[in-house]
């Protein structure tokens, strides 16, 4: 008769297994419940803080209790750490769940979103660790201000440096989010301001060690504030139409005055030098200028060099004033700034000024007025709107809502630097070094073992034709096995102006009938310079001769491309082009490059191109083509949008900022 013992044993084992499974399931559910409870608690805590942070943003720093701000930073950091800790186990599998309906995109991007939150709150915590003690010590009930923040940051170097590293980590996490448009609306709403303000945080933290000197903490700082008009394009952004002295004391504008650039010089009483002699002397050969005056000081595309000339010529004409640097803007930056701070009341510009109408109003204010049969009074006052406009901007920033405008102004500044409509030069070596590293000073790069290209146009026609002239750039490089190469630059200019009656006249005399539109719809008298690596040698170029009677100088232009060594560190190829309204002209330059590649440790070779956008110019359609040596294989290209075909890459873009293109081949 069969025994029942084995059956009982099997049943006992099955019961034990079920009990273990059930116990494990209960533990798993409990573990998940605890995690969920912690996650929900942290999420609710963050939601409750979000409204308060939004209120602070809208009300401005002046309303913030520093102690309360510290509590918020610590609380948000704690909640994010909870979320990171409770979800970290699931990160490896989350990207594979993107297929799930509705929540899939959020789950797929969750690791990078949490990394972004972790890095961002870590940056805030480090920053508060550095500046918090200085802000809360006074305990005077006053809100935050720029001066208090600068004073508190003075001794917070190590903490702010760590905060800067965390902001870089946050920016990297944000860049890894591949499809933000697929995320839920609430998440997108949080990401959009991050994309705008992370660059500001990066630059601001990089500037932290010298912000006190830059913004006049302890000792007021005085800068030349230079207004450039890109309708009459010059190397650093436009003709210098106005200049003022900007005095900053403890982060606040203490004084800002403006004058017409033409009244700065004292040439009637002092001798002035001849214009710069670098190959073709554009100011003399084309314009007949025999004196190097302040209005022409931005002759060099390298902004620090032009800034030094501006300071020298300003002091030469106005007296030996202490100057800490130069800030240069153009009309596009003015549009951006006025648009950010809101409507202004400027009676000299017919009242209400906005970002949309400021340039039209400026051009209307420029129109000639005859007083007692003479234009003399108008010539001396045609730019008199500049000082009232600057005063209106200052009053808006110092008004009741000024604190709430600071983030917008900071955003405009960063975008202005990036798009090359704002440039800042500082005399102080430490400040100058940081501005250089950030690319804020408009310096022409001089990279070793790399290629560089900057096309710099200069309107020498006494007019505003650049308002209707556009250009497109084609640059092709064929690399050789020895690391050298042959470069071909092709620039096509299109003049969309309306042809005037009769032939173009080089210099327009101001009369009662002169209008800004007349200066716009004039010939484009353009002296173009191609900045290439030092050691480049000209092979060929398009010829564009112009007769002597077309210039006020009565000096003919032979039409051949000329090579110069200005400035040190570059070879420059220059030529002049006369472009009539309604016409298109293509200029070409072909030259031999010096060695422009680096040989990497793994046996591959790197070609890097630094493409520099001219300050003041509009975004420029650009095509780049790089051909590697025969038999070489392209392994990597820094621009994902580039097309690789065989041994060549082609990259089409619209150049709205400086660009660095890298190609790795073997």
């Amino acid at each position: 008769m069969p025994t029942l013992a084995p059956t009982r044993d099997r049943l006992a084992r099955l019961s034990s297994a079920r009990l273990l499974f059930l116990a494990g399931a209960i533990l798993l559910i409990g573990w998940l419940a605890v995690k969920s409870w912690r996650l929900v608690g942290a999420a609710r805590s963050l939601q409750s803080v979000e409204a308060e942070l939004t209120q602070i943003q809208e009300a401005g720093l002046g309303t913030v209790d520093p102690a309360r701000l510290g509590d918020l930073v610590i609380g948000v950091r704690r909640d994010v750490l909870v979320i990171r800790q409770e979800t970290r186990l699931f990160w490896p599998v989350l990207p594979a769940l993107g297929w799930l309906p509705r929540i899939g995109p959020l789950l797929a991007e969750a690791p990078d979103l949490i990394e972004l939150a972790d890095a961002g709150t870590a940056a805030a915590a480090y920053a508060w660790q550095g500046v918090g003690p200085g802000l809360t010590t006074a305990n005077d009930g006053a809100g935050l201000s720029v001066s208090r923040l600068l004073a508190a940051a003075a001794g917070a170097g190590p903490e702010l440096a760590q905060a800067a590293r965390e902001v870089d980590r946050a920016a990297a996490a944000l860049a890894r989010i591949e499809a933000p448009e697929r995320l839920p609306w609430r998440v997108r709403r949080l990401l959009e301001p991050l994309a705008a303000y992370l660059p500001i945080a990066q630059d601001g933290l990089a500037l932290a060690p010298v912000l006190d000197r830059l913004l006049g903490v302890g000792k007021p700082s005085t800068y030349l504030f230079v207004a450039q008009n890109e309708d009459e394009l010059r190397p650093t952004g436009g003709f210098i139409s106005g200049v003022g002295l900007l005095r900053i004391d403890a982060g606040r504008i203490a004084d800002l005055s403006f004058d017409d650039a033409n009244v700065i010089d004292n040439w009637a009483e002092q001798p002035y030098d001849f214009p710069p002699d670098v190959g073709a002397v554009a100011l003399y050969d084309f314009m007949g200028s025999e004196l190097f005056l302040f209005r022409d000081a931005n002759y060099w595309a390298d902004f620090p060099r032009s800034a030094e000339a501006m300071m020298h010529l300003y002091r030469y004409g106005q007296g030996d004033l202490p100057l800490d640097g130069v800030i240069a803007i153009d009309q596009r930056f003015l549009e951006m700034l006025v648009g950010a701070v809101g409507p202004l009341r400027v009676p000299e510009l017919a009242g209400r000024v906005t970002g949309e109408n400021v340039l039209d109003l400026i051009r209307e204010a420029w129109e000639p007025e005859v007083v007692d049969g003479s234009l003399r009074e108008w010539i001396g006052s045609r730019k008199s709107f500049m000082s009232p406009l600057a005063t209106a901007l200052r009053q808006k920033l110092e008004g009741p809502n000024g604190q709430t405008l600071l983030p917008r102004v900071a955003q405009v500044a960063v975008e202005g630097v990036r798009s090359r409509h704002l440039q800042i030069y500082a005399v102080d070596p430490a400040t100058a070094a940081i501005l250089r590293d950030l690319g804020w000073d408009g310096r022409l790069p001089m990279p070793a073992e790399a290629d560089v290209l900057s096309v710099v146009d200069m309107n020498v026609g006494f007019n505003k034709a650049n308002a209707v002239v556009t250009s497109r750039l084609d640059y092709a490089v064929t690399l050789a096995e020895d690391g050298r190469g042959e470069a071909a630059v092709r620039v096509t200019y299109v003049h969309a102006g309306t042809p005037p009656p009769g032939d173009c006249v080089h210099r327009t005399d101001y009369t009662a009938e002169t209008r800004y539109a007349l200066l716009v719809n004039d010939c484009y008298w353009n002296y173009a310079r191609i900045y290439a690596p030092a050691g480049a040698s000209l092979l060929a170029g398009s010829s564009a001769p112009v007769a002597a009677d077309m210039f006020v100088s009565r000096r003919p232009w032979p039409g051949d491309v000329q090579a110069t060594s200005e400035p040190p560190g570059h070879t420059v190829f220059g030529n002049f082009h006369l472009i009539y309204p309604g016409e298109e002209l293509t200029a070409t330059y072909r030259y031999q490059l010096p060695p422009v590649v680096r040989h990497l440790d793994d046996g591959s070779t790197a070609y890097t191109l630094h493409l520099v956008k001219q300050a003041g110019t509009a975004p420029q359609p650009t095509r780049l083509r790089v051909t590697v040596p025969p038999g070489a294989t392209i392994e990597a290209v820094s621009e994902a949008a580039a097309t690789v075909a065989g041994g060549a890459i082609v990259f089409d873009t619209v150049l709205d900022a400086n660009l660095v293109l890298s190609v790795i081949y073997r």
Side-chain angles (χ1 to χ4, degrees), residues 253 256 258 329 331 333-359 361-362 385-402 405 408-409:
I253 298 174
L256 177 59
F258 249 102
I329 67 170
Q331 294 182 123
F333 184 81
L334 180 62
E335 278 185 315
M336 295 163 62
L337 184 59
V338 174
V341 304
L344 306 173
R345 300 297 302 178
V346 185
E348 291 80 357
L349 291 178
R352 190 174 185 270
V353 181
T354 68
E356 290 75 22
N357 69 8
V358 60
L359 294 190
L361 293 176
I362 286 174
F385 61 82
M386 290 191 294
S387 189
L389 179 58
T391 299
L393 281 167
R394 175 185 172 186
Q395 290 173 345
K396 194 68 176 284
L397 292 172
E398 293 179 347
N401 298 320
L405 298 174
R408 299 185 207 169
V409 173

Side-chain angles (χ1 to χ4, degrees), residues 126 130-131 152-165 205 208-209:
Y126 278 118
V131 304
E159 293 85 359
L160 294 180
Q162 184 60 45
R165 288 188 283 271
L205 288 168

Side-chain angles (χ1 to χ4, degrees), residues 610-623:
H610 294 258
L611 185 60
V612 182
K613 175 184 181 286
Q614 182 178 358
T617 56
Q620 181 187 47
T622 300
R623 166 166 284 196

